[in-house]
Amino acid sequence: TYDCVKLTSDKLYLEYAEKIVYVGLWGKLYRKDLFLNIKFPVGKTWEDLATTYKILLSVDYCSQINLPLYYYFYNYVGIIQSEWTPKRLDEFDAYEQQLEFFKGKEKYAKIYKTLLFTYIKAISYSFDMLINSSQPQKEKKKYKKLLSKKMRKALRQYRQYKEKLPIEENIGIYETAYPRRMHLYWIFKRITRK
């Protein structure tokens, strides 16, 4: 015997918002007809991030069975683990599409906020990967500028929640958005410690 939980797509998104912001396509079984109108973006990586939310919102319900019926092979040289390349920007296109979809829909306000914070963390992670990559310096500078711009825009959107992300706990986020200003922050911290 096993427990099977049947959820409507709204209930799934409204009650499990924090857990399903990044829902990979793997680990699930789908009806073939779900892909008649919803297609993976051609030539893009992070295709599950751009697609899964559409599928989950298009169904009347989904079921969850807590049994190990599906096994996943962890790819240590896959997209997430590999060195930074410009193809990583596909991730942000997918996040931005989702944010645009959920934006302004009161019913999905919780998922929007969670998704926005996840997007902010993803930009910060990608920024760190870029810095440590073997990309030419000219390319690094170009993409650092682009990621910083995306981060500042995302932080402006996050301010609508009247919450500040504490600097001490989110140093990487602020260093991505404001690299020059954070240098001043560290100088100020040293001065005030004495």
Side-chain angles (χ1 to χ4, degrees):
T1 122
Y2 58 87
D3 293 330
C4 178
V5 179
K6 191 173 180 178
L7 299 167
T8 65
S9 58
D10 274 352
K11 187 171 183 165
L12 175 72
Y13 268 91
L14 297 174
E15 292 184 18
Y16 296 92
E18 285 82 16
K19 295 178 184 175
I20 63 165
V21 164
Y22 179 78
V23 181
L25 204 57
W26 65 272
K28 297 159 195 63
L29 299 175
Y30 301 88
R31 288 189 335 258
K32 185 178 172 181
D33 64 320
L34 292 174
F35 294 95
L36 293 176
N37 296 319
I38 298 171
K39 306 290 182 200
F40 291 106
V42 177
K44 297 274 191 176
T45 55
W46 301 88
E47 65 283 349
D48 51 354
L49 189 59
T51 309
T52 308
Y53 75 99
K54 295 174 186 176
I55 293 170
L56 291 175
L57 288 170
S58 74
V59 299
D60 294 329
Y61 68 91
C62 61
S63 298
Q64 175 186 356
I65 300 172
N66 289 321
L67 286 174
L69 300 174
Y70 186 100
Y71 293 93
Y72 178 73
F73 174 76
Y74 191 81
N75 184 356
Y76 291 96
V77 292
I79 296 166
I80 295 173
Q81 299 298 321
S82 60
E83 183 172 296
W84 195 95
T85 70
K87 286 296 284 173
R88 261 200 106 78
L89 296 174
D90 290 347
E91 176 184 15
F92 306 115
D93 291 343
Y95 272 115
E96 289 160 11
Q97 286 173 13
Q98 275 195 63
L99 286 165
E100 191 59 35
F101 176 83
F102 290 113
K103 187 177 184 175
K105 294 180 179 166
E106 190 58 39
K107 177 164 105 173
Y108 297 120
K110 186 176 177 184
I111 192 76
Y112 180 84
K113 180 182 178 186
T114 304
L115 181 63
L116 183 57
F117 185 65
T118 304
Y119 173 63
I120 287 168
K121 290 190 298 187
I123 296 169
S124 180
Y125 178 74
S126 188
F127 191 85
D128 287 343
M129 285 184 71
L130 172 61
I131 288 170
N132 296 313
S133 75
S134 61
Q135 294 287 317
Q137 286 303 319
K138 187 176 179 181
E139 292 293 301
K140 277 188 185 183
K141 185 176 180 179
K142 174 180 147 184
Y143 291 115
K144 281 169 61 176
K145 187 175 180 179
L146 176 70
L147 291 172
S148 290
K149 185 177 178 180
K150 285 183 179 296
M151 181 66 85
R152 287 190 299 273
K153 182 179 177 185
L155 287 172
R156 281 192 301 273
Q157 290 173 306
Y158 198 79
R159 284 189 198 125
Q160 74 179 328
Y161 297 106
K162 309 289 189 259
E163 293 177 23
K164 285 191 175 183
L165 299 175
I167 291 178
E168 303 293 330
E169 297 167 23
N170 299 285
I171 299 266
I173 290 170
Y174 287 105
E175 286 182 340
T176 302
Y178 310 107
R180 290 189 180 115
R181 291 182 191 165
M182 286 305 291
H183 177 70
L184 296 173
Y185 170 81
W186 290 117
I187 292 171
F188 178 76
K189 284 295 275 186
R190 272 195 216 128
I191 292 169
T192 57
R193 279 191 194 153
K194 295 179 179 179

